[in-house]
Structure formats: C-alpha cells, structure tokens
Amino acid sequence: MPILIIVESPAKARTIKGFLGKNYTVKASLGHVRDLPRSRFGIDVEKNFEPHYITIRGKGPVLKELRDAAKKADRVFLATDPDREGEAIAWHLATALNVEEEECRVDFREITKDAVKLSIKKPRPISQPLVDAQQARRVVDRVVGYELSPLLWAKVKPGLSAGRVQSVAVKLIVDREREIEAFVKEEYWSVTAHLGTERQEQFEAKLHYKDGKKLDLPNEEAARQVEHDLADQVWKVAEVTKKKRQRNPAPPFTTSTMQQEAARKLGFAAKKTMRLAQQLYEGLPMGKLGTLGLITYMRTDATRVAPEAISEVRTFIKETHGESYIPQKPRAYAAKKGAQEAHEAIRPTSTLRTPADVKQYLSRDQLRLYTLIWERFVASQMSSAVFDAMTVDLKVVNYLFRATGSQLKFPGFLKIYQEGSDSSSQTDDSKDRLLPELKVGEIVHLEKLDLGQHFTQPPARFTEAMLVKTLEEEGIGRPSTYAPIIDTIGARGYVEREEKRFRPTELGTIVTDLLADSFPRLLDVGFTAGLEEELDNIEEGQTIWQDVIGEFYEPFAVDLKKAHDELERIEIQDEVSDVLCDKCGRNMVYKLGRYGKFLACPGYPECKNTKPILDEIGVECALCKKEGRTGGQLVGRRSRRGRYFYGCSSYPDCTYTSWKRPVAELCEHCGNHLVIPKEGADPVCANKECLGGKTK
C-alpha cells in the first residue's frame, strides 16, 4: 500500500525516508504553499475578516509534484512541524491536494526511527483551533502592516513599514535609550579593609553598617571620615556564620533560553541559533548510523521531558560520574504560564550520543550548539552543587565590616555546565573564596584600608540575549517569533548594533513616537501580551478567532482614520556634517542605509559620492608608527554586512582591523594593540601568534 508523507524541508524528508520502507514516498513542500497575496490586502473585513489565500509565487511546480505523488498514493500523511505554523501548512496542503482522509496529520517531536514509526501508527485529524490561532496571527499582522505602512509613507517618508510585534520591540529599545540619556550618575564610595590574623592569614572585609544602619558614602569626605574614625582602632570578630549552601541546575532549554545562552556563550544571533537548531532537529548524516535527528523540536516554551529520556540520562550520569551525581528523584521543572505542555524541552534525542561521538559529522557551529544543548540537558538532571559558605562580621568602634567566603565541597552539575550571564561582573560560585578559621572575640589587625570611588551606571542597552529575555518575560511574541522580530527591526533600519548592543536610529525613534502618539494601545506592552494570550485561547478552542480580530480592529480603524486626518507630515532633515565632499566640495550629510548611517553628498543625483562614518576612539595606530606612516587613527566603522569593527583611518594604505575595541596600550611582547574582549574586561593581546604577556 503506497503511502505519501509530506514534510516541509528536503533535509527532514531525507532523514525520515531513511527510517521507512519501499512503500513510503517522502516529499517536501518547501515551507508554506499558500498565503495571503503580497500585492493586495487579501482580507475581506466586511465578510468577518475572511482571508483570501493564493498559491505562493514559484510554488506551482512544487504543488504539481505533490498532487502527482498524492494521486499515486493510497494514503497521504502530512508531517509538518508540531506547532501552529506547521499545523497551518498541513491545513493548506490538505486543501490544495484535496486530501480526504480525516486522520491525515502526523507530527514528530523528535526525528528518530522509533518516534517516526510510532507517529505514523497514530495519525490524527488536523487541529482546527491550532490552524485558527495561526490564521488570527497572520490576519492581525497583515492588518497592521498593510494599513500602517501607507500612513508612514504619507507622514514620514516612502518605503517605511511597521509591524505589530516588531514596533513594540523597537519601543523597548527606544525607551531604554531615553532612560540612558536621562540618567544622572551619582558618586558613591566604598571602604574595603585588608586584614590579617596572628597566624599571618589575609582576607578582605567590606564596610556594611554604622550604628546598626546601612551606611551610604556619597563623597570622598564621607569616606575619609570613616578612615579617620578607624585609625588605630581594635578590630574584633563579632559573629561567625557557617552553613551549607546548595545551587541547583537550570532547566533544559526552551527556545528563548537556548537563544539567550547561545548569544552569551557562543556569540550567535538568534537567527543563526535557530538555523543551526533546525539542522540538528531535521537530521544530519552520521556515517554508518545513517541520517539522524540529534535534538527534539526547537520551537518550544516547555521544560517537560519524556520519562524515557530522563531514565536514559540518569543511567548515563550514574555510569559516567557515579551515583552521587544523580538526585534521589528525577528533577521536574515548573512550567511557565501558558507553556505548551504537549511539547518537550529542547534536548538530545539520545544522551548517549555525546558531543565527542558526533564531532566528526558536524560543522564547527553545529557542534558548538549541540554541545550546549547536550550539556545543559545532562546538567539539568544532576545533583546540586554544594558549598560551605562562611560569613564573618567584624566590629571596630561603631562600624561593622563583613567578609564572605565559600568553598565548593561537591561540584554536582557544575562538573558539566554553568549558566551564562548578561552581567560583565558575574560572580562565579564555583571558585573558592576561602576565609581563615576565625572565632568570635578574635582580634585581627588592619593591614590596609582601600577607599574606592564609584559612580552609578545607567541601564545597559539591550544585547540580543537581554532583548529575547525581555520579550519572553513581557509576553511579547512566541518562541518561533523572537528571531524574526530581531532580524526585521534591524533590516528596516529602526535599530542598529553598537558593540553587540541595540540602539535606536533616528528613524526608529521618530516612527516609534508617531505610532505611540497615534496608536497607544498598539505599542502598549500589556496590550500586546494580552493579544498573545487571546491567540493562545484560540489555540485551546476557547475563543473564535474572528471575534478576537474584530475586538482589535474596531478601535484600530478609528485611530488609523484619525491619524490620517490629523497628523502633520514629519520632515526629516538630513544632518549636515563637517566632512567636505572630495568630488564637489559640498558639506556631506548623514544618511541611513540598510547597515546604519553613512555620509552622502547632498548634490545627488549630480554627485553620487558616499563615505563610511568613522567613529574616532582617540587611539593612534601602532601599525602606522611601526611602518613609518603618520596620521593613522583607529576608528569604528561598519562592514558591508553591517558588522561593527575597528580599523585605521589611513585605509587602504594601512590594513589594521579588529572586531574588538583597541586601546592605546601595546603588548610588550609583539607590539600590537591590546583590545577589550568584552565590556568590563581587562585588555588582552589580539595577536593569536603572540604566546607571551597579555594573550588570549
């Protein structure tokens, strides 16, 4: 009995075909086959928001091939991805191919031989609520994008576009930038005591209280007063507290946490992470083992893990690390509100396929992401790390200083994995910070008192990991949308990246302000999150999708008409620079392109001269000096792909470049510029061939 199975991608088709016999034909739809038309609205508002779907341009031959294959088959199974988008693709395929069987839908949470064969034995009907949830999202996004864009063309400039969720993401970035601009730094001081015992043991303690109250030191005068008060005073141990402290592992990955951690630890953009995860999920050639899917489905917000996978990983941990590394009971992680619990967390399809085992079959980046997923999952079922924590309070006159220390007694999951952080000042609990054995009443002596000047810092600009985390926490978008959101706001020129952090462009700020004034609900985080919950309710079969669109559309249409009637056109004047055009002598102006700002001659089209913007960082080029050239300054600029880097202003005569920010200090061994590897870090030598001194 010939059976046709249709999936989205050729890679997935090849993997599944390898698990099945001669009676099965596996074809790929190459994604969606039908969608709303690109050249017109495609939604009949008067007919209860009825969408008009057409065959996507270029998909005619694909549909013909699938129809021909369907005619030769006794049964057709639609095995698209197990989410809203996959369900909608299956629904469109069933319509386009006239699939009559009610139970035609199969889905795989992992692409392994057992999972595929089991799913084929248990086909189900297409889930209309799941399809409706996708339709609702598609329609509401079409309404916003199609009807807001002409407003922006008329009021700002032609060619602009807006999106429902993307506009909220840009507003987050704009609001953060305004917080930074409005921030007024405040001075404060700290006091750190370097102390010693009679046994010649050294340790540090920080000032915490005066007269039992927290003490703020706003200036040097206040800090000097503390120094004066403590001169020649007796330092005595007032209290010693010892306790065991446990640290538990993080849950296995969801889409959001995987994107965040891949950004922190691997430097991957969300789009790249999802592309690599798709490859690992759909299957890769594994030599004699054939083509195998290495991870479970990568679009999920659940932390649930199948019992058989937990059993396998616990056995692996016991055999590899010993019984002390597995907790008595398997770990279960609380689901976040609204999580799709039918899905699993992202995990290896088999823990037994270690990164070392698959290394030879994967590309470098595939291996790095697989290793991250594998280590995170294994660690999530391991024992807690145990620390001996010690706190010592020291009294000196009416001041209290506190010293803290900890010692790792049992590594537990830290033997495998430690979660990353967005903070450059992250403390690492796995490092021992030992205090000497101190007793209450013991006298210690002051060796040195450090007075430190500090300033409060403004909120940090969003990194990609921070933005994904915020979108998830605020309920904006869903696992499948984070990467497209970030990709879109950059492509539209509304935000730019500076040292891996987002800042809004002038255009992004203008468009955000216009939309926020005219469509306050649309750019409200709470409203956007509420609409996401309504989409979830549609998926659960609790709400009719047209009702949700109707409630959104009526006030939106009122705001839209008002904006067209009342908004005045915003004239964006080009900012004039002091750079003269070397072809016609005019002052060049700043323009915004796909990859950020650049300089252009205002005499266009007569003069088409353009130049990149050079951000001077106040560092003379050491390579120019070394080779006898003068005048070379290191500047920040953008590559053709929009990536920020540093180079010499004397290019092309000088070819010095660096992805990391250079400093004036040179390596004492090779004479090259030291660079800042990440925010808050000490400079290191960027020369990979330099083996001495401050090297990587």
Side-chain angles (χ1 to χ4, degrees):
M1 183 176 81
I3 294 173
L4 172 65
I5 299 176
I6 301 176
V7 297
E8 286 120 317
S9 76
K12 191 173 175 182
R14 286 192 295 271
T15 305
I16 292 170
K17 178 60 180 172
F19 301 146
L20 303 172
K22 294 180 180 179
N23 286 338
Y24 291 88
T25 301
V26 187
K27 297 278 186 182
S29 70
L30 305 178
H32 278 277
V33 293
R34 298 199 313 161
D35 197 7
L36 298 171
R38 296 184 65 179
S39 57
R40 52 195 171 87
F41 192 30
I43 297 165
D44 195 332
V45 175
E46 302 302 321
K47 289 188 178 179
N48 207 14
F49 304 99
E50 180 182 320
H52 175 61
Y53 295 112
I54 63 169
T55 300
I56 295 172
R57 182 178 294 180
K59 285 298 180 76
V62 175
L63 271 178
K64 183 181 184 305
E65 182 182 345
L66 295 177
R67 286 192 185 104
D68 291 343
K71 288 174 185 175
K72 298 174 185 176
D74 291 328
R75 290 208 66 179
V76 177
F77 288 138
L78 305 171
T80 47
D81 285 347
D83 55 15
R84 288 177 191 167
E85 209 68 29
E87 204 73 15
I89 293 173
W91 180 70
H92 284 298
L93 283 168
T95 303
L97 303 179
N98 295 314
V99 176
E100 295 178 357
E101 298 101 321
E102 182 180 345
E103 295 186 336
C104 63
R105 180 79 167 104
V106 295
D107 49 21
F108 320 119
R109 312 286 172 189
E110 57 183 78
I111 303 179
T112 59
K113 189 171 186 177
D114 290 344
V116 168
K117 288 192 169 183
L118 184 63
S119 295
I120 289 172
K121 289 178 182 177
K122 296 180 179 180
R124 61 169 174 82
I126 290 173
S127 169
Q128 195 59 44
L130 214 58
V131 174
D132 288 345
Q134 190 275 343
Q135 285 197 99
R137 178 185 291 280
R138 187 73 184 93
V139 169
V140 74
D141 288 345
R142 168 56 64 99
V143 165
V144 172
Y146 199 90
E147 298 205 332
L148 275 190
S149 295
L151 175 71
L152 296 177
W153 302 344
K155 304 299 181 181
V156 185
K157 74 173 188 176
L160 296 182
S161 59
R164 178 181 63 88
V165 180
Q166 295 94 323
S167 297
V168 181
V170 176
K171 187 173 188 298
L172 290 173
I173 294 168
V174 169
D175 289 347
R176 177 60 57 87
E177 194 67 21
R178 284 185 169 141
E179 287 180 52
I180 294 168
E181 290 169 354
F183 184 82
V184 179
K185 67 180 181 181
E186 294 182 3
E187 182 183 8
Y188 69 98
W189 285 67
S190 63
V191 179
T192 303
H194 297 261
L195 302 164
T197 69
E198 294 297 326
R199 301 175 296 280
Q200 306 302 312
E201 299 158 318
Q202 279 78 39
F203 65 102
E204 292 181 6
K206 293 186 179 296
L207 174 61
H208 270 245
Y209 301 109
K210 180 182 180 182
D211 296 323
K213 297 178 182 177
K214 185 170 175 59
L215 180 63
D216 293 321
L217 303 176
N219 50 44
E220 184 178 5
E221 184 182 356
R224 293 293 178 196
Q225 183 62 52
V226 174
E227 183 181 46
H228 177 269
D229 293 346
L230 298 180
D232 301 321
Q233 297 296 332
V234 176
W235 292 70
K236 184 184 291 188
V237 176
E239 186 176 354
V240 178
T241 306
K242 294 182 180 179
K243 61 182 178 181
K244 287 199 179 298
R245 187 166 58 83
Q246 288 193 342
R247 184 171 162 199
N248 297 326
F253 281 135
T254 62
T255 303
S256 166
T257 54
M258 177 181 69
Q259 290 175 355
Q260 292 173 51
E261 199 74 334
R264 295 183 193 114
K265 289 194 165 186
L266 308 179
F268 290 174
K271 184 178 180 181
K272 178 176 181 177
T273 299
M274 294 308 290
R275 184 179 73 248
L276 292 168
Q278 184 98 27
Q279 294 163 3
L280 295 173
Y281 163 71
E282 291 185 341
L284 296 164
M286 295 281 125
K288 293 180 181 178
L289 296 174
T291 302
L292 297 175
L294 294 180
I295 65 170
T296 52
Y297 191 54
M298 65 286 162
R299 293 187 180 92
T300 177
D301 53 5
T303 52
R304 185 186 71 83
V305 175
E308 57 271 21
I310 291 178
S311 176
E312 182 186 71
V313 72
R314 282 173 63 85
T315 300
F316 173 84
I317 294 166
K318 181 180 177 181
E319 292 178 352
T320 308
H321 301 288
E323 196 155 347
S324 60
Y325 280 87
I326 51 172
Q328 285 189 339
K329 294 181 180 179
R331 292 188 184 275
Y333 294 92
K336 77 180 187 75
K337 182 183 177 184
Q340 304 295 305
E341 282 302 291
H343 288 194
E344 275 194 73
I346 302 169
R347 62 167 176 83
T349 52
S350 173
T351 306
L352 303 182
R353 279 191 282 272
T354 67
D357 293 334
V358 302
K359 180 178 180 179
Q360 61 181 310
Y361 306 114
L362 306 187
S363 71
R364 179 176 179 268
D365 285 342
Q366 286 171 343
L367 178 63
R368 292 173 76 198
L369 184 60
Y370 180 73
T371 302
L372 197 69
I373 293 167
W374 186 91
E375 289 178 348
R376 172 83 164 219
F377 175 63
V378 174
S380 74
Q381 288 297 327
M382 292 179 73
S383 299
S384 302
V386 180
F387 297 85
D388 276 348
M390 186 175 177
T391 302
V392 177
D393 286 347
L394 300 110
K395 277 280 186 72
V396 50
V397 288
N398 55 340
Y399 290 94
L400 183 142
F401 280 70
R402 178 165 292 167
T404 58
S406 65
Q407 183 176 18
L408 181 66
K409 302 301 287 184
F410 177 69
F413 74 93
L414 289 174
K415 192 172 183 181
I416 294 288
Y417 181 85
Q418 175 153 318
E419 193 172 15
S421 169
D422 292 310
S423 170
S424 60
S425 60
Q426 178 192 13
T427 56
D428 185 351
D429 278 345
S430 67
K431 293 180 181 176
D432 290 343
R433 294 184 295 274
L434 296 176
L435 293 178
E437 285 296 325
L438 296 164
K439 296 179 181 179
V440 174
E442 183 175 346
I443 303 297
V444 297
H445 59 270
L446 177 66
E447 296 182 347
K448 185 174 66 168
L449 203 64
D450 278 344
L451 308 184
Q453 182 188 36
H454 312 277
F455 293 92
T456 54
Q457 296 297 311
R461 290 192 180 109
F462 288 104
T463 62
E464 190 156 311
M466 291 163 63
L467 186 58
V468 168
K469 185 177 181 181
T470 302
L471 292 172
E472 183 185 37
E473 288 175 346
E474 298 289 355
I476 301 167
R478 283 296 179 260
S480 60
T481 64
Y482 301 138
I485 287 169
I486 291 169
D487 202 36
T488 300
I489 62 178
R492 287 177 175 169
Y494 293 154
V495 302
E496 59 189 7
R497 295 178 196 246
E498 189 174 289
E499 296 183 344
K500 296 188 177 180
R501 291 179 182 267
F502 292 107
R503 66 179 300 166
T505 61
E506 181 187 12
L507 180 64
T509 302
I510 289 170
V511 169
T512 296
D513 289 346
L514 184 149
L515 295 178
D517 288 343
S518 302
F519 305 90
R521 285 204 324 157
L522 187 66
L523 265 68
D524 179 70
V525 169
F527 175 77
T528 304
L531 189 54
E532 293 290 351
E533 289 185 13
E534 290 290 344
L535 295 174
D536 291 342
N537 291 337
I538 295 168
E539 182 173 324
E540 297 297 324
Q542 299 172 6
T543 312
I544 297 171
W545 74 268
Q546 291 93 338
D547 292 347
V548 172
I549 304 300
E551 289 177 11
F552 168 83
Y553 186 76
E554 288 180 20
F556 173 76
V558 172
D559 290 342
L560 186 68
K561 184 178 185 308
K562 185 178 179 183
H564 272 290
D565 293 343
E566 298 180 6
L567 267 179
E568 295 183 4
R569 179 170 176 79
I570 299 170
E571 293 292 340
I572 303 179
Q573 299 292 334
D574 290 329
E575 183 183 351
V576 180
S577 77
D578 57 2
V579 179
L580 296 179
C581 176
D582 48 18
K583 292 187 177 179
C584 69
R586 295 180 176 95
N587 279 76
M588 302 188 83
V589 296
Y590 293 103
K591 292 282 188 181
L592 182 67
R594 184 178 178 186
Y595 301 124
K597 282 187 175 181
F598 64 95
L599 289 167
C601 182
Y604 183 88
E606 292 86 11
C607 181
K608 299 178 180 178
N609 190 23
T610 62
K611 287 184 177 181
I613 293 173
L614 306 179
D615 298 330
E616 292 192 11
I617 60 173
V619 176
E620 289 187 44
C621 178
L623 185 59
C624 282
K625 280 188 175 181
K626 194 185 295 185
E627 296 182 357
R629 288 187 296 272
T630 57
Q633 292 286 326
L634 298 188
V635 295
R637 57 204 311 172
R638 292 195 180 276
S639 70
R640 288 182 179 273
R641 291 187 168 271
R643 189 173 172 188
Y644 200 83
F645 73 101
Y646 298 90
C648 181
S649 61
S650 296
Y651 178 85
D653 294 331
C654 178
T655 57
Y656 173 86
T657 59
S658 171
W659 294 116
K660 310 293 185 185
R661 183 182 180 90
V663 296
E665 186 182 356
L666 304 180
C667 175
E668 60 186 27
H669 293 271
C670 68
N672 280 320
H673 285 282
L674 300 184
V675 299
I676 306 294
K678 65 179 181 178
E679 190 176 346
D682 292 330
V684 298
C685 182
N687 182 3
K688 293 180 180 178
E689 297 178 0
C690 178
L691 301 177
K694 297 179 179 179
T695 57
K696 288 184 177 177

